[in-house]
Amino acid sequence: MKTFNYTIQDALGIHARPAGVLVKEVKKFESKITIEGNGKSADAGKLLAVMGMGIKQGTEITVKAEGADEDAAIAAMEEFFKANL
């Protein structure tokens, strides 16, 4: 299992547009990718679950990837979060 922590920079937090793009990015990988924050955890491949976490600007999250391509998945997720959120 690979993990990284990230503090959300986007003024709107994780909202519909970036959450939708995140889900598409997650679907590229075989690994199970989860997001933890605000005392909640969600499958990053499920749009409503991600949006339901209510993650706002300044919230620190932990992203976890577990599976056959976890190294590539966690690298891509870290790059995605830095570029989009």
Side-chain angles (χ1 to χ4, degrees):
M1 179 187 316
K2 302 285 181 179
T3 67
F4 79 91
N5 294 331
Y6 182 74
T7 301
I8 300 299
Q9 305 299 315
D10 188 293
L12 299 174
I14 299 181
H15 55 98
R17 184 194 52 76
V21 178
L22 171 64
V23 169
K24 285 182 184 172
E25 189 70 22
V26 166
K27 301 276 186 196
K28 296 178 183 177
F29 299 98
E30 188 179 316
S31 296
K32 178 179 170 78
I33 301 171
T34 57
I35 299 173
E36 295 177 359
N38 279 350
K40 300 177 184 175
S41 179
D43 180 338
K46 300 199 182 303
L47 179 63
L48 294 177
V50 172
M51 289 180 61
M53 292 179 69
I55 296 175
K56 305 288 184 209
Q57 181 181 28
T59 302
E60 184 175 355
I61 61 166
T62 301
V63 180
K64 297 181 180 181
E66 186 172 10
D69 57 357
E70 64 188 27
D71 289 325
I74 205 72
M77 290 297 102
E78 191 163 4
E79 190 175 307
F80 173 86
F81 276 90
K82 287 178 180 174
N84 296 288
L85 291 165

